[in-house]
Amino acid sequence: MSVNITFLGAAGTVTGSKYWVRHGDQSLLVDCGLFQGYKPLRLRNWAPVPLEPDALGAVLLTHAHLDHSGYLPLLAREGFRGKVYCSAGTRDLARILLPDSGHIQEEDALFANRHGFSKHQPALPLYTRQDALDCLPLFKTVPQRSTFAPLTGWKATFQPAGHILGASSILLEVAGRRILFSGDLGRPDDSLMNPPDAPPAADTVLIESTYGDRTHPQDQLLHELGPVLQRLAARGGVAIVPVFAVGRAQALLLAIAQLKEQGLIPHGLPVFLDSPMAVSTTHLFEHHPGEHRLSPHEVRAMTRAATMVSSTDESKALAARHGPMVILSASGMATGGRVLHHLAHHAGNHRNMVILTGYQSPGTRGATLASGARTVRIHGKDVEIQAEVVQLESTSAHADSDQLLRWLQQMPSPPDQVYVVHGDLPAADNLRTRIERELHWRAMVPEQGSTWPL
Ligand SMILES: [Zn+2]
């Protein structure tokens, strides 16, 4: 009996990670993510997945980011009753991210109905906050670097992948085949997370390729962010920083604390973190001391670097404040969340700034801003962009092309086949070419929906 894999997402694109592995009448999913970005991609979330959720044995989660976990509430609502295996860090983050995702979808549907700009009457949420809460009891944590049986006769081992709290690569062993899922790989020189563990031997590897066609500049975040915030403070402007609530928000807070400590930006520059999710995530660093590289002093400095804004009233009150100030607010690609209100309020003033902090998926407002557009559409209205738009290059939580190759090179022996996933086509194809030319391994970029024997 052969083992098959079907690529139900993250094939030729970054989001929607879902890999369905089948052997006989047993099957499991590695990751269960949402598609994000361009509308045609987001519409895929509404198409039924070609599997019977109640016949699926288990889900293994590499990490909590929604493009890896955000489809779970729907899978559970459709009848999935197996276990969702993940690390403790991933479980803690999913408890924050998934209910918030349900809440945002309900809010978006409400807003669309109230303002009548949805083509659907009434607009419905993909799933609700309650759907997300209902799937959380399925979660079962497993320690990293130890082997367990997700299904009878199958073995799985999670190992640290850097990237964000709890992020893991997964080695799956079934019917004598060893399949390695890289998950999202962090940078070896990340300011928050430890470097990824070296990969074990495997017959098949799925490697991410978010930055498969780029190398990160050596310039550290401090060197990049310092002069930008100095310039902002000098002209008394407001910087709106769309942040990824998990990972990048914390890296920025740490950098701001260090810049103030070193006197490179004014000590009194007001900084606000306006994202309840990012606030909760920042505090998780105190509860998982072994899973990141920060000292207790650095964790304290990070949690004190900004005024934490929780209630919507406090958030609205920020609009009455004058610069200079820095507002970090989710979401990181300005696809939703409180940052939209801040953008609508401040982006029209040339003294202000929009600071983009990491990968901006094509089709998102973040990508539109990065491309230099003079207007963006927010809540059904065109907002004029007069503010200076700055794209930080050094805030990625992903390994670059060279670092991905170096991770693969640490494998004890060459695999039979590499599948390059989790990248837009140019990035994925560039990494495929480099794997073939520089490592002389077989590599391909699988198509969405395609099935391959392992
Ligand atoms: Zn991720």
Side-chain angles (χ1 to χ4, degrees):
M1 252 185 313
S2 67
V3 181
N4 287 321
I5 188 164
T6 304
F7 294 89
L8 298 178
T13 186
V14 170
T15 60
S17 283
K18 276 182 223 81
Y19 312 113
W20 186 24
V21 185
R22 275 173 292 168
H23 175 59
D25 57 3
Q26 290 182 308
S27 77
L28 57 72
L29 265 186
V30 175
D31 282 340
C32 189
L34 280 182
F35 288 101
Q36 298 167 319
Y38 279 126
K39 194 160 192 191
L41 276 176
R42 283 181 281 130
L43 286 176
R44 282 189 194 170
N45 293 322
W46 294 85
V49 282
L51 54 79
E52 299 291 331
D54 50 355
L56 185 69
V59 175
L60 311 183
L61 278 192
T62 60
H63 65 293
H65 273 152
L66 290 177
D67 62 320
H68 296 258
S69 74
Y71 195 82
L72 274 171
L74 209 49
L75 194 76
R77 197 178 71 192
E78 304 288 309
F80 171 66
R81 287 294 170 269
K83 288 197 170 67
V84 177
Y85 292 99
C86 63
S87 68
T90 297
R91 191 262 327 261
D92 287 355
L93 283 172
R95 281 176 174 167
I96 299 171
L97 288 172
L98 291 179
D100 184 77
S101 170
H103 175 72
I104 286 177
Q105 309 210 34
E106 288 182 70
E107 291 279 291
D108 285 353
L110 266 179
F111 201 89
N113 287 328
R114 209 180 309 138
H115 296 265
F117 59 76
S118 169
K119 292 184 197 79
H120 309 279
Q121 289 300 338
L124 292 174
L126 185 64
Y127 55 83
T128 63
R129 183 180 148 80
Q130 191 58 48
D131 292 329
L133 292 171
D134 290 345
C135 83
L136 294 177
L138 302 177
F139 279 61
K140 171 130 183 67
T141 62
V142 289
Q144 287 183 319
R145 304 192 182 109
S146 72
T147 302
F148 67 99
L151 300 175
T152 312
W154 298 48
K155 287 196 276 184
T157 314
F158 285 52
Q159 64 171 50
H163 189 52
I164 61 165
L165 274 182
S168 309
S169 304
I170 300 176
L171 177 69
L172 189 61
E173 295 170 83
V174 52
R177 306 297 295 166
R178 293 166 63 88
I179 310 133
L180 177 64
F181 301 83
S182 74
D184 287 6
L185 288 170
R187 306 167 65 154
D189 55 351
D190 191 85
S191 64
L192 302 176
M193 302 304 299
N194 291 314
D197 274 15
D203 306 301
T204 306
V205 182
L206 275 71
I207 180 120
E208 70 122 318
S209 59
T210 315
Y211 284 107
D213 58 350
R214 268 170 282 182
T215 49
H216 299 313
Q218 283 299 312
D219 234 11
Q220 298 284 311
L221 178 54
L222 287 190
H223 296 136
E224 221 188 344
L225 188 61
V228 172
L229 292 186
Q230 185 64 263
R231 199 158 73 232
L232 177 90
R235 68 186 192 219
V238 177
I240 304 303
V241 191
V243 286
F244 301 87
V246 176
R248 293 308 88 186
Q250 289 75 38
L252 286 158
L253 288 178
L254 181 67
I256 287 169
Q258 289 167 338
L259 287 168
K260 285 187 173 177
E261 240 174 57
Q262 296 169 23
L264 295 172
I265 59 172
H267 201 266
L269 177 65
V271 179
F272 298 90
L273 179 59
D274 183 18
S275 158
M277 222 178 5
V279 171
S280 312
T281 302
T282 305
H283 290 298
L284 273 189
F285 277 76
E286 298 168 333
H287 304 304
H288 293 269
E291 291 182 34
H292 54 75
R293 63 161 87 208
L294 302 187
S295 68
H297 168 76
E298 288 170 314
V299 173
R300 254 194 319 277
M302 180 175 84
T303 52
R304 289 174 189 171
T307 304
M308 305 287 180
V309 178
S310 287
S311 73
T312 32
D313 284 345
E314 289 173 282
S315 173
K316 283 178 186 156
L318 284 178
R321 277 190 68 109
H322 295 284
M325 67 169 161
V326 180
I327 301 175
L328 294 88
S329 185
S331 70
M333 302 185 205
T335 50
R338 292 181 181 180
V339 76
L340 294 185
H341 299 283
H342 297 305
L343 278 175
H345 192 70
H346 291 292
N349 186 329
H350 64 94
R351 225 176 336 155
N352 297 341
M353 273 184 187
V354 180
I355 304 178
L356 301 168
T357 64
Y359 179 78
Q360 303 294 325
S361 189
T364 61
R365 283 189 198 85
T368 306
L369 286 164
S371 74
R374 296 324 298 172
T375 59
V376 286
R377 211 158 168 78
I378 295 177
H379 298 146
K381 291 199 188 85
D382 284 324
V383 172
E384 195 188 355
I385 307 298
Q386 292 287 340
E388 177 187 356
V389 177
V390 178
Q391 165 89 64
L392 297 181
E393 301 290 337
S394 56
T395 48
S396 173
H398 288 272
D400 67 15
S401 182
D402 291 345
Q403 292 162 341
L404 290 168
L405 272 191
R406 244 174 277 140
W407 187 78
L408 284 173
Q409 267 174 321
Q410 295 175 68
M411 290 188 76
S413 53
D416 298 335
Q417 177 73 49
V418 179
Y419 293 102
V420 181
V421 296
H422 198 286
D424 292 321
L425 265 182
D429 202 54
N430 187 68
L431 186 66
R432 175 194 65 80
T433 312
R434 289 195 66 183
I435 292 168
E436 287 181 343
R437 289 205 189 132
E438 296 172 41
L439 306 182
H440 308 291
W441 297 357
R442 276 164 52 122
M444 67 170 291
V445 179
E447 273 187 42
Q448 170 70 14
S450 63
T451 297
W452 299 89
L454 297 175

